[in-house]
Amino acid sequence: MNDHSDHPAVIRLRAELDAAWKGVGALAQLEGVSRDRVVAELRAAVPDVASRAAREAGQEAVVAELRRFAAAEVVASDPTVPSRVIWGDIVGTATVAATATTTLT
């Protein structure tokens, strides 16, 4: 098994996941429509980057990176914002995108 954790595509994915994780943690600071826009962007962007990374670096490296970030605890400062659920959805959708991409190609 090759370790592609230093592949540029995985590094880009890691940066996207880090930014998304921080964004989810800050959702409570946003209101209504702004929060919805950020969530929609994260739900689209992270799976897209994961899909591209899987094509470039391979499914194993991408899924490993996604699992690492899935385990990251999201600090929720507002109980009315389901930050942990949103984070789980983002990482879960990204995992599906990464595995579907390599299966279909």
Side-chain angles (χ1 to χ4, degrees), residues 10-33:
V10 175
I11 292 169
R12 282 191 300 274
L13 173 63
R14 189 176 303 132
E16 185 74 24
L17 286 164
D18 185 57
W21 180 80
K22 289 174 183 171
V24 169
L27 287 174
Q29 299 170 12
L30 302 173
E31 294 184 21
V33 174

Side-chain angles (χ1 to χ4, degrees), residues 4-5 10 13 17 49-51 53-55 57-71 91-103:
H4 294 290
S5 63
V10 175
L13 173 63
L17 286 164
V49 173
S51 175
R55 283 193 303 271
Q59 176 181 339
E60 288 181 27
V62 171
V63 170
E65 195 66 28
L66 289 165
R67 284 186 181 142
R68 191 172 73 80
F69 270 87
V91 175
T93 303
T95 302
V96 169
T99 56
T101 298
T102 55
T103 302

